[in-house]
Amino acid sequence: EKGGYDHFMMKEMTEQPKAMVDTLAGRLNTDGIRLDDINLDAETMKNINRIHIVACGTAYHAGMVGKFYFEKFARIAVETEAASEYRYKDPILDKKTLLIVVSQSGETADTLAAIRLAKEKGARVLAVTNVVGSSIAREADDVLYTNAGPEIAVASTKAYLTQVGCMLVLAMHLGQLNGEIISEEMKRLGHALLNTPELVQKAMESKEAVKTFAYQHFNINDLFFIGRGLDFYTCLEGSLKLKEISYIHSEAYAAGELKHGPIALIDDGTIVVAVCTQEKVFEKMLSNIKEVKARGAFVLAIVQEAHKGIASEVDEVFVIPNMDDDITPIPTVVYLQLLAYYLAVARGCDVDKPKNLAKSVTVE
Ligand code: F6R
């Protein structure tokens, strides 16, 4: 049932290129986005003035990427919040709000509670979920399925990747409806998205390099992830994945926040994974890398091909092909999934069934 792999997690990571194809199928055309499965039309969107994205764990991280995309491409104000926080607040929520929930299982108790709260206040609810007929799918007004196929491993991988894909597709759709996205941009993103299955495949082919790195460093107690913009969300996801399956303490920081506190924790040999795929902030990342290097950190950088020269500044580099900066979270997270996986395997952890965790959190 594991298809010849040692763990469901590896099987599911390997399935990611196909999952991405299935997520995009029928939704992405040469001239734009078509989402036949949902009923959000231009008329409805005229009455929407804000979006709330609510989810838990890994899905919450996909929601953060979503906020970035919605604001950039549809120019709509977005708040992203953990469902367990949202439901116990008094969020500014009315019939002009679109609530987008993200959930692999479609059964997460806090996320479901957020839907009920929003519906009480008259908001419209769109669910991005993987499980057809799940509670969340049934209670939402619209459902966009991730089409990732069944995910068994507790650590979410292909679901996350497809959630991010759905976020971009949705942002393009909304930008198209409200006229905020120009056709050039639409073409650029469409083209970039079509390339993602191949980019994910390439990332998976780097698994031996990631494995070698993991087996050299499995004895660590802490690991830091730093990044800016989209890379920061990838860091949050990589850090969560690492904690849950390898039990290594890790932190993810927006790199600019380092000097506001956490840099105090960087010592001789502390591993810092610096995700630097965003051209706009590349130089800023370089400065942050120099700061942690000056304190003795061992730095692993992830960069696009164009910046592979960073090798002279750091201890180790994983190079991804040059691509559109807006889609880098999709292949980059694969490296961090692999890193968590191999560190966990090297430490003898039960990768598919980490201690204290359940696949679906149906009680709060
Ligand atoms: C992490 C993980 C969890 C889930 C979270 C939400 O790998 O799997 O953090 O992402 O429990 O679950 P869903 O997406 O089913 O609502």
Side-chain angles (χ1 to χ4, degrees):
E1 49 176 8
K2 291 180 197 155
Y5 296 98
D6 290 345
H7 303 98
F8 279 110
M9 186 179 171
M10 179 50 81
K11 173 174 182 274
E12 290 161 7
M13 286 191 291
T14 308
E15 287 167 352
Q16 292 186 116
K18 171 162 192 306
M20 215 45 215
V21 169
D22 294 343
T23 298
L24 301 176
R27 292 170 172 167
L28 187 62
N29 304 328
T30 40
D31 50 344
I33 296 290
R34 252 190 84 162
L35 297 180
D36 291 334
D37 26 8
I38 63 172
N39 292 315
L40 276 184
D41 52 20
E43 213 37 51
T44 317
M45 283 313 291
K46 267 196 200 121
N47 296 315
I48 300 289
N49 61 11
R50 68 171 78 90
I51 295 178
H52 288 173
I53 305 179
V54 174
C56 301
T58 283
Y60 174 40
H61 297 151
M64 293 180 184
V65 179
K67 173 182 163 76
F68 183 100
Y69 288 152
F70 289 125
E71 294 191 338
K72 180 164 180 181
F73 303 120
R75 304 303 296 160
I76 305 175
V78 180
E79 296 290 341
T80 297
E81 196 146 42
S84 55
E85 289 297 313
Y86 188 81
R87 66 178 293 193
Y88 293 117
K89 286 185 172 175
D90 191 3
I92 305 210
L93 191 61
D94 57 26
K95 53 185 192 326
K96 292 189 161 230
T97 311
L98 172 64
L99 173 72
I100 300 180
V101 293
V102 187
S103 174
Q104 189 285 129
S105 64
E107 302 297 342
T108 300
D110 285 326
T111 311
L112 197 52
I115 297 186
R116 291 177 183 159
L117 174 70
K119 293 199 85 169
E120 245 169 57
K121 306 264 172 133
R124 188 175 176 116
V125 179
L126 184 150
V128 174
T129 182
N130 197 37
V131 178
V132 178
S134 56
S135 306
I136 285 173
R138 280 184 277 117
E139 295 203 19
D141 298 304
D142 288 291
V143 185
L144 187 67
Y145 285 108
T146 42
N147 297 337
E151 194 178 63
I152 312 281
V154 165
S156 181
T157 54
K158 61 178 181 170
Y160 176 76
L161 209 79
T162 56
Q163 285 161 358
V164 171
C166 282
M167 289 294 126
L168 184 49
V169 163
L170 260 177
M172 290 160 74
H173 178 68
L174 298 186
Q176 192 172 263
L177 290 181
N178 68 10
E180 287 289 344
I181 194 165
I182 53 168
S183 71
E184 247 66 348
E185 186 125 275
M186 199 69 173
K187 277 199 195 107
R188 168 178 75 82
L189 290 169
H191 188 259
L193 263 173
L194 279 177
N195 266 330
T196 53
E198 197 188 316
L199 291 167
V200 170
Q201 179 62 38
K202 280 219 176 88
M204 284 303 295
E205 285 163 13
S206 308
K207 66 183 180 191
E208 284 308 317
V210 182
K211 183 177 178 182
T212 303
F213 180 87
Y215 276 76
Q216 281 162 355
H217 299 281
F218 72 93
N219 231 344
I220 52 174
N221 295 318
D222 309 278
L223 200 152
F224 288 77
F225 293 92
I226 59 171
R228 289 173 182 252
L230 285 171
D231 289 334
F232 170 48
Y233 313 127
T234 308
C235 287
L236 286 170
E237 175 54 11
S239 179
L240 175 65
K241 214 95 298 174
L242 186 71
K243 290 180 191 99
E244 64 178 332
I245 62 171
S246 78
Y247 318 135
I248 296 170
H249 162 246
S250 80
E251 308 262 358
Y253 272 99
E257 279 290 292
L258 273 179
K259 55 169 67 111
H260 298 286
I263 199 157
L265 295 171
I266 309 290
D267 269 327
D268 245 359
T270 307
I271 297 194
V272 175
V273 177
V275 184
C276 324
T277 71
Q278 301 294 298
E279 188 57 43
K280 196 173 172 187
V281 287
F282 184 79
E283 292 301 323
K284 301 282 165 200
M285 283 302 297
L286 259 188
S287 316
N288 295 129
I289 287 172
K290 286 182 181 147
E291 286 157 11
V292 295
K293 284 295 299 169
R295 285 160 182 82
F298 180 100
V299 177
L300 162 66
I302 304 183
V303 295
Q304 295 193 40
E305 173 99 36
H307 285 298
K308 64 178 184 211
I310 201 172
S312 57
E313 308 275 350
V314 299
D315 301 281
E316 191 94 42
V317 194
F318 294 150
V319 178
I320 60 173
N322 290 329
M323 67 189 78
D324 198 304
D325 285 8
D326 287 320
I327 56 146
T328 61
I330 294 173
T332 308
V333 78
V334 175
Y335 282 86
L336 303 192
Q337 294 167 347
L338 288 167
L339 184 62
Y341 176 81
Y342 284 118
L343 282 169
V345 172
R347 291 160 75 92
C349 301
D350 186 348
V351 170
D352 282 339
K353 287 207 166 40
K355 63 182 180 195
N356 307 338
L357 295 176
K359 181 65 181 163
S360 169
V361 185
T362 53
V363 290
E364 54 171 310

